Amino acid sequence: MRRELRPCMRSKDSPERTGPAALGALITELAARVRPEPYDLRPGGTGRKRLAEDVGMSIWAVGRMLRGETLPRVENVYALARVLGADEEQLLDTAGYRQGANRTKRPKEPVLSIANPLTPEAIADGLGITHPFVRKMLISSITEAMRLQREADQHHGGDPGETAVAR
């Protein structure tokens, strides 16, 4: 049985609408509404353990998710939706695994073209990397790899037959 979810109330000081903190707040709100027996997620309550068992996550992973420290694996988002009687798509959107209403209309495989060159940001988007720190690290690593490749190409005269190998 699925229920329509109301958006969580957020203060003006809390601009985050997707990501770990937003998902943790939404899961906490939904868990309190489960009938006939809501999950008591307060410290010392048995709700975290029960939720972990019902979803198939560790109690530590549930705690980190509820505190907004980490996101659950996608398959656990589906299990959370089932256990909490929630809409899978809203949970995926809130987690940041899906972005925008047209996400489901995208082709399953990315289409590369000269008109839309592949950028580090596009790679992060394509991989679904939304956490700001992880995203910054990935983009930085890709940018550095591209710089090193350009240097190697210039050093070897741009001959595609030659490869730079560390010895």
Side-chain angles (χ1 to χ4, degrees):
M1 173 169 93
R2 293 203 178 174
R3 293 176 289 188
E4 201 58 37
L5 301 178
R6 294 186 329 238
C8 291
M9 300 305 258
R10 289 172 176 67
S11 70
K12 287 189 264 182
D13 299 329
S14 175
E16 185 175 22
R17 297 177 197 272
T18 63
L23 183 67
L26 179 58
I27 296 298
T28 300
E29 180 181 317
L30 293 170
R33 290 196 241 158
V34 170
R35 298 293 178 243
E37 188 180 348
Y39 291 92
D40 180 5
L41 301 178
R42 294 175 295 177
T46 60
R48 288 180 185 215
K49 182 178 181 199
R50 205 173 105 229
L51 181 62
E53 290 170 354
D54 291 351
V55 173
M57 294 172 64
S58 73
I59 192 167
W60 298 277
V62 168
R64 289 190 306 265
M65 173 190 66
L66 294 173
R67 289 189 300 273
E69 295 171 3
T70 61
L71 287 171
R73 296 186 327 220
V74 173
E75 57 268 23
N76 289 335
V77 173
Y78 290 111
L80 283 161
R82 179 183 45 77
V83 166
L84 299 174
D87 178 57
E88 296 169 346
E89 292 184 7
Q90 183 181 14
L91 293 183
L92 290 168
D93 289 343
T94 302
Y97 287 129
R98 294 168 10 112
Q99 297 169 345
N102 295 329
R103 182 80 171 184
T104 56
K105 295 179 184 176
R106 262 185 36 197
K108 291 189 184 214
E109 295 298 319
V111 178
L112 303 177
S113 72
I114 295 173
N116 295 319
L118 198 53
T119 64
E121 291 80 8
I123 293 169
D125 291 342
L127 293 173
I129 307 297
T130 59
H131 187 277
F133 177 76
V134 176
R135 186 177 176 87
K136 183 176 179 178
M137 292 296 296
L138 176 64
I139 290 170
S140 175
S141 295
I142 294 169
T143 302
E144 180 65 8
M146 291 168 59
R147 183 188 68 74
L148 291 170
Q149 182 62 52
R150 280 191 304 273
E151 283 181 12
D153 290 346
Q154 289 172 354
H155 178 65
H156 294 286
D159 182 1
E162 288 199 38
T163 56
V165 178
R167 296 190 194 255

